[in-house]
Amino acid sequence: MSDSEGIVRIEGLEKTFVTGDTSLSILKGLDLSVGKGDKCVIVGKSGCGKSTLLNIIGGLQDATAGSVVVGGSDVAAMSEAKRTAYRQKFLGLVFQFHYLLKDFTAVENVFLPAYMAGIPKKEAMERATSLLADVGLSDRASHYPPQLSGGERQRVAVARSLVNEPELILADEPTGNLDPENAALIGDLLFSMADQHRKTLILVTHDMNIASKGNRRYVIEGGKAMEMA
């Protein structure tokens, strides 16, 4: 894979957690490459390091050793200010919990990250309104999170992840709190929105039905990532 094609290049990644006299190595020399436009899915048993890997890519945790280069930049070398800008503009984040602000409407929740990133208010609201339409929630735009179902709240979260037009979407167990029907809907939505908006997607999941949709699939075992057939 050439640098022009690769959006994520990870080499020799290690992560060890130390508590008092106890240390626990989660990632042990992990290598991973994700090309621009890939829909990469990562699976593995609970505690294998899937979420830790996503947090390191997102600059939310530091690696113990190894190299993590995203969009041509070394994540470990970023200052805190650069990491904030990186998460704000280069990444779109979707978590297991929607983290919507309960005192703001659906459209305001999508609008706020763009407005806070310096997008003019009118353009930010146009983006938010358009994205809510894309996820099928135009008629719920003025509703507050407590008035929305779990599936609807997660659809708002998907729209929010795209409002700053990121290059890379990181989704950490985005269907983990949903019933099977809504989980399937959100899984399909993430892949279709990534396609529609031409984004690279890295998704961590326990759901093999969702995992089957990725064009690149990895399982983490023994601290390393192995590509699945």
Side-chain angles (χ1 to χ4, degrees):
M1 179 184 297
S2 69
D3 286 351
S4 63
E5 294 172 324
I7 192 168
V8 177
R9 289 184 289 114
I10 298 173
E11 296 178 355
L13 181 64
E14 298 184 12
K15 180 62 179 178
T16 300
F17 293 96
V18 179
T19 305
D21 295 330
T22 304
S23 65
L24 177 63
S25 293
I26 301 292
L27 303 176
K28 306 171 185 178
L30 180 145
D31 298 324
L32 181 72
S33 293
V34 180
K36 188 173 177 62
D38 274 346
K39 310 299 179 290
C40 175
V41 177
I42 298 170
V43 300
K45 294 179 181 178
S46 293
C48 72
K50 303 185 301 296
S51 294
T52 298
L53 172 60
L54 229 57
N55 286 339
I56 291 171
I57 295 172
L60 299 168
Q61 290 182 10
D62 290 321
T64 304
S67 169
V68 180
V69 177
V70 184
S73 297
D74 182 344
V75 176
M78 293 178 183
S79 66
E80 199 52 49
K82 284 188 176 179
R83 284 194 189 197
T84 298
Y86 163 68
R87 286 192 291 267
Q88 191 176 62
K89 297 178 181 179
F90 192 87
L91 299 180
L93 302 173
V94 184
F95 300 98
Q96 183 172 349
F97 302 99
H98 54 78
Y99 295 118
L100 300 181
L101 300 172
K102 66 182 180 64
D103 295 325
F104 292 85
T105 64
V107 73
E108 288 168 344
N109 267 283
V110 180
F111 155 87
L112 276 172
Y115 185 60
M116 291 173 68
I119 305 299
K121 186 174 182 179
K122 182 174 183 291
E123 181 183 345
M125 186 55 74
E126 287 172 351
R127 286 190 192 182
T129 301
S130 176
L131 284 164
L132 276 185
D134 286 348
V135 301
L137 287 179
S138 289
D139 61 336
R140 309 290 277 169
S142 61
H143 288 66
Y144 293 86
Q147 299 171 314
L148 303 174
S149 70
E152 287 172 336
R153 289 193 287 266
Q154 201 64 323
R155 282 152 67 186
V156 175
V158 171
R160 180 184 57 191
S161 75
L162 287 160
V163 74
N164 282 339
E165 300 180 350
E167 293 292 324
L168 174 63
I169 301 169
L170 302 179
D172 188 5
E173 295 282 7
T175 64
N177 277 343
L178 302 175
D179 61 78
E181 182 179 355
N182 273 306
L185 287 171
I186 293 299
D188 286 342
L189 179 66
L190 269 166
F191 283 95
S192 66
M193 290 291 282
D195 277 336
Q196 180 182 336
H197 293 272
R198 299 178 181 177
K199 306 303 179 188
T200 305
L201 172 67
I202 302 178
L203 183 147
V204 160
T205 185
H206 279 98
D207 190 329
M208 294 309 293
N209 289 325
I210 293 172
S212 67
K213 300 177 188 299
N215 73 306
R216 302 283 299 280
R217 294 179 294 161
Y218 293 87
V219 58
I220 297 182
E221 289 182 359
K224 298 180 184 293
M226 291 170 283
E227 191 156 12
M228 302 165 64

